[in-house]
Amino acid sequence: MVDVTRARSFEGIGEEYDRYRPGFPERAADIIVPAPVATALDLGAGTGKFTSLLVERAARVIAVEPSAPMLAVLARTLPTVEARPGTAESIPVPDGSVDVVSVAQAFHWFDRDTAAAEIARALVADGTLGLLWNRADPACAWDLACHRVAHPAVGADDDTSASATDIPGFALEAHEEVRWTERISREVYLRRWGTVSSLLVADDAERAGMVAALEAVLDGADETRGKAEFDLPHLTDVFRYRRV
């Protein structure tokens, strides 16, 4: 069951989300769109973190996002993209009108079966669905510790991408884990956690406690202690499906 409060917690943080959230590696877009296409649609596009990688891979790019503040940022930063308000359960495009639908960091918030049917409706025959999620590299103990602070309900293994299993109407063609590293400042790293759902819905006392715990992790790790900047490893899980 989707937590609606958490799913909607991002709706008012367009500028902060765009500034502090990580992007995605080029390799992820190469997996989903290995050759140029006529039309690509980024669903739950947010501020365009993944949408930007589609611009060079599709003659026409459509971005669909329910949050007006996020869509405004996307429209400003990616002026060639068609930015449209909408949801995964009601995609504002005609039947069979897009070659590729991508969903970055958002599919687990959707009403899964309804969204799958809508995506299939929007896609051409044999069209492509790409799902991707950034997650902590299990080799990075301090980042994993911060994830446990911010996502206490998530187990030792991040199973967010479990929603990518057995999607009705689609056949899995490829799954790849892409490793990459981001150079990040301590300030931006901490502010990034302020854009995740658990901190957004927390009250002031809970949020302050979480931030203090995050700072304690950074102060206790050799890789981050006393450093204004450090390297942050990521894993991006990428799934490519074909409409059947």
Side-chain angles (χ1 to χ4, degrees):
M1 180 69 68
V2 173
D3 185 327
V4 175
T5 300
R6 289 199 174 190
R8 298 192 63 181
S9 63
F10 306 101
E11 291 184 0
I13 61 163
E15 296 290 346
E16 294 90 343
Y17 192 100
D18 189 59
R19 181 174 180 182
Y20 299 122
R21 281 297 184 100
F24 297 91
E26 291 276 349
R27 175 60 188 159
D30 291 339
I31 296 165
I32 295 170
V33 193
V37 297
T39 304
L41 187 153
D42 197 22
L43 186 58
T47 61
K49 292 287 188 177
F50 187 72
T51 320
S52 63
L53 298 181
L54 298 174
V55 172
E56 298 299 321
R57 294 171 168 83
R60 179 190 185 197
V61 179
I62 302 167
V64 174
E65 166 59 42
S67 165
M70 287 196 175
L71 203 62
V73 173
L74 187 151
R76 186 183 73 242
T77 58
L78 298 172
T80 65
V81 171
E82 299 176 32
R84 302 182 182 180
T87 68
E89 296 78 24
S90 182
I91 303 172
V93 297
D95 295 358
S97 60
V98 299
D99 302 286
V100 176
V101 171
S102 59
V103 185
Q105 216 75 23
F107 191 75
H108 57 290
W109 294 119
F110 298 167
D111 182 331
R112 184 174 174 276
D113 289 355
T114 303
E118 263 294 270
I119 292 167
R121 178 194 65 76
L123 282 169
V124 299
D126 295 326
T128 296
L129 167 62
L131 306 182
L132 62 157
W133 287 268
N134 287 330
R135 63 183 174 91
D137 187 326
C140 184
W142 60 268
D143 189 43
L144 281 178
C146 287
H147 275 262
R148 286 192 289 271
V149 169
H151 301 294
V154 177
D157 296 321
D158 185 347
D159 62 352
T160 305
S161 62
S163 59
T165 305
D166 297 328
I167 298 176
F170 292 89
L172 181 64
E173 288 189 323
H175 172 215
E176 186 173 323
E177 289 183 347
V178 181
R179 278 186 160 81
W180 56 288
T181 301
E182 174 189 16
R183 187 71 176 172
I184 191 169
S185 71
R186 178 185 174 112
E187 178 187 4
V188 169
Y189 182 78
L190 290 170
R191 287 182 179 272
R192 176 174 294 173
W193 286 114
T195 69
V196 303
S197 60
S198 54
L199 272 78
L200 289 171
V201 302
D203 61 34
D204 290 345
E206 290 172 331
R207 189 178 302 109
M210 285 179 162
V211 171
L214 293 168
E215 291 181 321
V217 170
L218 296 182
D219 291 338
D222 291 341
E223 300 91 336
T224 56
R225 184 187 305 113
K227 295 181 180 179
E229 287 189 338
F230 36 80
D231 289 328
L232 174 62
H234 293 277
L235 278 181
T236 301
D237 278 312
V238 187
F239 301 82
R240 188 182 74 234
Y241 304 82
R242 177 176 52 85
R243 181 189 169 200
V244 296

